[in-house]
Each structure stands twice: as structure tokens, then as C-alpha cells.
DNA sequence: GTGGCAATAT
DNA sequence: CATATTGCCA
């Protein structure tokens, strides 16, 4: 049984404050509804062929998630990266009920949550479903986690597998580059390598010795102040001093389209540089082609 | 049904 | 290229 687990688990859960306090990630994936709210078809200048929605769904249910930030008060962090609906392929038009989720972009912060969850659950209980639930990131699906988990495990394995032999050259330190250089696995890890991986993760079963669970809260939440929904002219600012690790798509084109909040029209003049906070980070997610990308944004926590 | 993994697709 | 998706299996 998982009595022992329940022990800390329950405790941990017990520690969980109310849903309000919960939600380390200030927000999660942008829900279609939310996106819609932002999108409010104002921008037609974007080459976005609106897909014909067969029917007008009466959005009876919203995200159905209690924590779903019904109000986007704290969401946006300027460019930090927000959730982005890319090109707006579908965002531009009415949300067809069967909205398909945009590609989830695993940002380091999001991955951190993932790792935290796994670390706290223990390899033992770290299964997609549990992880997903613990992350409480609405919008995250089991498949999302499962897929990522797969890669994550490979990464850990690789890490453990090697460790001896620095290949003579790399100074005994295992740098991600070195790892991949070993060619242990073709699938390299970018995100993983950048994330702080808890020291343990290698022994699934521990007779009965429980693993010490440092109560590292799954992240320290960071409260943002209610920011107006980025009105026109209200440039985004506020870039957390956080560094961004991006690997990303190649911004081959000099055209960046901010995936997140594109406040309708740039009210010409008000603020010349409407949004486009810092393309440097966003560019990575730049869907060269207008692919919709859903990304969580960094919670300034690390 | 859920989870893990390889292959494959986008 | 990073994810998602699928197939197959435990």
C-alpha cells in the first residue's frame, strides 16, 4: 500500500493552501476562452485565414478548472513569455468547441514544475497521471506529461549511465554538450540539461526507508500585480531578471509575432513599440509559419 | 485503462 | 527541431 506514501503525501497535500494560493505558475496554459478574450478578433491584418467554425458553441463551460484564472489579472508578464497562441490560426475565429490544444511549449519553468512534481512523487509514483495532477497546470494532458516524461527519463538514464570518464577532455564535468558528445543517445536534451535535477532519481524502490522529502514547495509562487489587460499603449515591461534558456525554433525571419497577448491594434502612435517586449526571448517560440504555440509562461521562480 | 517506449508524424 | 501521435505491449 502506499500508506507510507500517503503519509507525506497527505501531509504535503495538506499543506497545500487553498486553490487560490495554489497555482505556483501564476497561470497556466491559456485556455481557448481566455485566448478568445484576448483575441477578440481585432486583428485582421495578420495573415490568418479564419477557419470556418461550423457552429457557434455556447460556451457553457469555461475551463472548468477552479484555478483557471478566470480573470487574467496576474497573468501576463510581459514578455517573459507568455502563453502564446501562435499565429492565431484558430484563435482568430470563433472557438469551435473542439478546439485542439496548441502545441505545448515546455519552458524551463514549466519543466521545473514537472521535475518538482516528479521529485516529490518519487520515481515510484511519478507517472503521467499523478504528475499531471500534481502540477495542476490546467491544460496539461496526460499525453503531454507522458511524452515529456519519456524524454526526461532518457535524460536521467544518460546522466547516470555515464559519469565515469570524462572523455578525457572535458574536465571531469559532465556538461550537456559532453553528454551528447558521448553519443549515448541521439536524442539530446536541451531543456533537461538546463533544469536543476534533484540529486536523487535513481532508485525507485527503497525498502522501506522513505525518502526524505524536503518540503520544497513545488515552487515558490510569485504574485504578480494585476496588470491591466495590456491595453494598447500599455507596453509590457517587467522582465524578470531571469535568463531565458531557449532553444527554439530558428527565428530565421526577422518577423516576430508575439505569441502572447497581442493587444489588438497598435493604436498607432500611442506607443510606437506596442508590444514586442523583447523579441529575444520570444523569437524562439516564433512559429515561423504561424503554427499555434501554447506556452506557459515563466514564473520567475527557479 | 494506464503506463512505458520505439517509431513516426507534424 | 521540439512535441505530439501512434502502435504495441506490460
Amino acid at each position: 500500500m502506499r500508506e507510507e506514501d500517503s503519509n507525506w503525501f497527505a501531509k504535503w497535500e495538506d499543506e497545500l493552501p487553498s486553490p487560490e494560493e495554489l497555482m505556483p505558475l501564476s497561470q497556466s496554459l491559456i485556455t481557448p476562452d481566455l485566448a478568445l478574450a484576448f483575441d477578440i478578433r481585432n486583428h485582421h491584418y495578420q495573415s490568418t485565414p479564419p477557419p470556418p467554425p461550423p457552429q457557434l458553441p455556447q460556451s457553457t463551460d469555461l475551463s472548468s478548472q477552479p484555478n483557471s484564472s478566470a480573470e487574467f489579472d496576474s497573468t501576463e508578464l510581459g514578455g517573459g513569455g507568455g502563453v502564446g497562441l501562435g499565429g492565431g490560426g484558430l484563435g482568430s475565429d470563433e472557438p469551435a468547441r473542439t478546439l485542439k490544444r496548441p502545441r505545448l511549449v515546455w519552458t524551463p519553468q514549466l519543466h521545473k514544475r514537472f521535475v518538482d512534481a516528479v521529485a516529490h512523487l518519487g520515481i515510484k509514483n511519478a507517472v503521467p497521471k499523478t504528475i499531471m495532477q500534481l502540477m495542476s497546470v490546467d491544460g496539461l494532458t496526460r499525453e503531454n506529461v507522458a511524452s515529456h516524461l519519456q524524454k526526461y527519463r532518457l535524460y536521467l538514464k544518460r546522466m547516470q549511465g555515464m559519469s565515469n570518464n570524462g572523455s578525457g577532455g572535458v574536465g571531469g564535468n559532465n556538461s550537456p554538450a559532453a553528454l551528447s558528445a558521448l553519443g549515448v543517445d541521439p536524442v539530446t536534451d536541451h531543456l533537461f540539461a538546463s533544469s536543476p535535477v534533484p540529486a536523487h532519481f535513481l532508485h525507485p524502490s527503497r525498502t522501506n526507508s522513505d525518502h526524505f522529502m524536503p518540503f520544497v514547495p513545488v515552487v515558490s509562487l510569485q504574485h504578480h500585480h494585476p496588470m491591466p489587460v495590456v491595453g494598447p499603449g500599455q507596453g509590457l515591461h517587467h522582465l524578470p531578471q531571469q535568463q531565458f534558456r531557449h532553444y527554439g525554433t530558428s527565428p530565421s525571419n526577422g518577423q516576430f509575432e508575439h505569441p502572447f497577448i497581442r493587444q489588438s491594434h497598435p493604436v498607432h502612435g500611442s506607443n510606437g513599440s506596442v508590444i514586442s517586449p523583447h523579441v529575444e526571448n520570444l523569437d524562439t517560440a516564433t512559429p515561423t509559419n504561424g503554427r499555434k504555440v501554447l506556452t506557459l509562461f515563466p514564473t520567475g521562480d527557479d
Side-chain angles (χ1 to χ4, degrees), chain A residues 58-286:
Chain A
Q58 186 61 3
S59 62
T60 339
D61 55 3
L62 232 96
S63 2
S64 65
Q65 270 270 327
N67 70 351
S68 228
S69 27
E71 306 194 338
F72 7 84
D73 48 41
S74 52
T75 80
E76 42 302 64
L77 326 178
V83 187
L85 294 180
L90 59 103
S92 344
D93 218 84
E94 292 290 312
R97 196 182 276 260
T98 51
L99 277 174
K100 99 192 185 9
R101 304 197 189 247
R103 196 191 194 80
L104 174 70
V105 177
W106 287 88
T107 199
Q109 276 68 26
L110 179 52
H111 188 241
K112 169 84 180 343
R113 276 241 349 149
F114 168 84
V115 172
D116 268 342
V118 174
H120 283 115
L121 285 169
I123 299 294
K124 202 169 88 180
N125 299 295
V127 291
K129 214 181 231 177
T130 319
I131 295 170
M132 177 187 63
Q133 291 177 341
L134 262 164
M135 288 175 76
S136 291
V137 174
D138 86 281
L140 238 189
T141 70
R142 190 173 67 81
E143 279 65 58
N144 283 140
V145 177
S147 197
H148 196 72
L149 182 59
Q150 239 190 323
K151 289 191 303 179
Y152 184 58
R153 279 174 168 162
L154 286 174
Y155 167 71
L156 291 178
K157 279 200 167 162
R158 186 161 57 249
M159 275 283 190
Q160 301 166 22
M162 60 163 250
S163 284
N164 64 22
N165 169 352
S167 244
V170 191
N173 192 339
N174 321 332
S175 70
L179 296 176
S180 13
L182 291 175
V184 184
D185 194 2
V187 270
T188 1
D189 24 84
H190 298 140
L191 220 191
F192 307 132
S194 311
S195 313
V197 175
H200 47 278
F201 264 26
L202 319 171
H203 336 289
S205 326
R206 254 204 162 199
T207 37
N208 52 6
S209 307
D210 59 311
H211 3 87
F212 36 90
M213 283 282 182
F215 264 118
V216 282
V218 194
V219 108
S220 16
L221 8 172
Q222 167 178 337
H223 260 137
H224 309 120
H225 330 133
M227 210 186 212
V229 183
V230 194
Q234 174 75 258
L236 307 175
H237 38 334
H238 237 194
L239 172 54
Q241 52 278 30
Q242 195 138 11
Q243 59 157 28
F244 271 64
R245 247 182 158 108
H246 268 116
Y247 35 75
T249 37
S250 29
S252 9
N253 65 357
Q255 186 87 341
F256 307 96
E257 95 178 86
H258 198 158
F260 182 14
I261 342 173
R262 53 277 240 100
Q263 57 240 79
S264 340
H265 15 177
V267 207
H268 62 282
S270 246
N271 186 338
S273 48
V274 194
I275 23 179
S276 0
H278 1 295
V279 191
E280 329 165 291
N281 347 310
L282 301 174
D283 68 328
T284 71
T286 305

